[in-house]
Amino acid sequence: MVWGARRAREGKKGRGNKGKYSKRPLSQRKRGVIKSSKGVDIRLECSICKKQTIWEIKGRYKKVELSTAIK
């Protein structure tokens, strides 16, 4: 068996990342990552002076709901 074939066979057995032999095709790697969720900013505006403040929510979420708690 030629050297390259032996190396490929060794790289495919076992567990874990095997570098060259476990990567996605170049066209998929060059395309970039399409993220399924976005970071969230909540913009609050003062009703009197119209000044805005931004609250940043840590993490990435697919869905964010705003609700008011009535006590």
Side-chain angles (χ1 to χ4, degrees):
M1 212 185 282
V2 294
W3 179 81
R6 285 195 307 266
R7 183 174 175 152
R9 187 182 64 193
E10 290 170 7
K12 289 179 182 178
K13 68 182 180 183
R15 299 171 64 184
N17 185 7
K18 302 300 183 201
K20 175 181 176 182
Y21 299 106
S22 65
K23 290 180 183 172
R24 289 186 159 189
L26 186 63
S27 61
Q28 289 181 6
R29 285 187 274 148
K30 289 279 188 175
R31 192 178 307 151
V33 178
I34 299 171
K35 298 184 177 177
S36 60
S37 60
K38 303 288 183 186
V40 179
D41 289 340
I42 297 177
R43 295 170 188 260
L44 303 172
E45 185 177 282
C46 176
S47 59
I48 300 168
C49 64
K50 304 296 183 188
K51 182 178 177 179
Q52 285 188 346
T53 57
I54 299 173
W55 283 3
E56 223 178 282
I57 298 177
K58 300 294 181 189
R60 304 177 73 85
Y61 302 97
K62 286 188 178 216
K63 185 176 181 181
V64 176
E65 291 183 13
L66 296 175
S67 63
T68 58
I70 300 172
K71 294 182 181 180

